[in-house]
Amino acid sequence: MLKKENPKKKSKLVNILFAGFITGTLDGLAAMILNYKVNPGVIFKFIASGAFGPAAFAGGAEIIVAGVIFHYVIAFLFSAVFFLLYPFFYNGLRNKYFVAVVYGIAAWLIMNLGVIPLSKITTKPGYHIPVTTILIGMLTLVICIGLPVVFIADRENKKIE
């Protein structure tokens, strides 16, 4: 006999996938808007350079596609982890907007202090990120990752209650 899939489990997976797609799209659009003077292909080559190093900038469409794929994979991973942790954070903080701020700042810290330094992305020796760039980056992730994931996770958790 065939086993019926748990609809709650399917709903959670659909919501996680939706959150990943939304956050990846919003963050990608934000990167293009904030860097409007840069060709969008260069933005995604920069992302791909995390895996391929500086050689990514000499690549063509395949590197841009790789950058887009990496971008969405990262967005899906952050969205899935934050989505699954939402009940824990909401129970502790009791304010979904504050949770969104914490998510956005955490995402920025993890990417900039963990993922990027461990990647093949190169920076000029002695380069320091300006405070305004840090704040804009954090605010962008609050808006593009924190808020969408919180709204989707909050809606999911209210359905379960």
Side-chain angles (χ1 to χ4, degrees):
M1 182 177 260
L2 290 174
K3 208 177 188 184
K4 268 197 161 181
E5 192 173 329
N6 183 345
K8 286 182 185 175
K9 207 176 214 181
K10 186 176 183 181
S11 172
K12 187 174 276 197
L13 177 62
V14 168
N15 281 321
I16 289 171
L17 292 173
F18 179 64
F21 176 74
I22 293 296
T23 59
T25 302
L26 289 174
D27 187 52
L29 288 171
M32 288 185 273
I33 291 167
L34 291 170
N35 299 288
Y36 66 92
K37 293 181 181 179
V38 177
N39 181 319
V42 174
I43 293 168
F44 291 104
K45 284 182 179 183
F46 174 79
I47 294 167
S49 76
F52 303 119
F57 293 101
E62 71 284 354
I63 294 295
I64 295 170
V65 169
V68 170
I69 291 169
F70 292 150
H71 176 75
Y72 273 99
V73 166
I74 292 165
F76 277 99
L77 290 172
F78 271 100
S79 296
V81 169
F82 289 159
F83 185 93
L84 295 172
L85 290 176
Y86 176 74
F88 169 76
F89 279 101
Y90 183 77
N91 287 337
L93 302 173
R94 294 280 178 214
N95 183 307
K96 65 184 171 188
Y97 300 103
F98 189 61
V99 172
V101 170
V102 170
Y103 280 2
I105 292 170
W108 190 91
L109 291 170
I110 291 166
M111 285 303 299
N112 286 275
L113 301 178
V115 176
I116 291 174
L118 294 173
S119 76
K120 293 182 179 180
I121 291 174
T122 57
T123 57
K124 295 176 185 166
Y127 175 75
H128 297 287
I129 303 172
V131 173
T132 54
T133 302
I134 292 171
L135 294 175
I136 290 169
M138 287 180 174
L139 181 61
T140 300
L141 294 183
V142 167
I143 293 168
C144 296
I145 293 179
L147 287 172
V149 171
V150 162
F151 288 137
I152 294 166
D154 194 59
R155 185 186 69 200
E156 170 74 18
N157 285 321
K158 284 191 168 108
K159 281 193 309 189
I160 293 171
E161 292 173 357

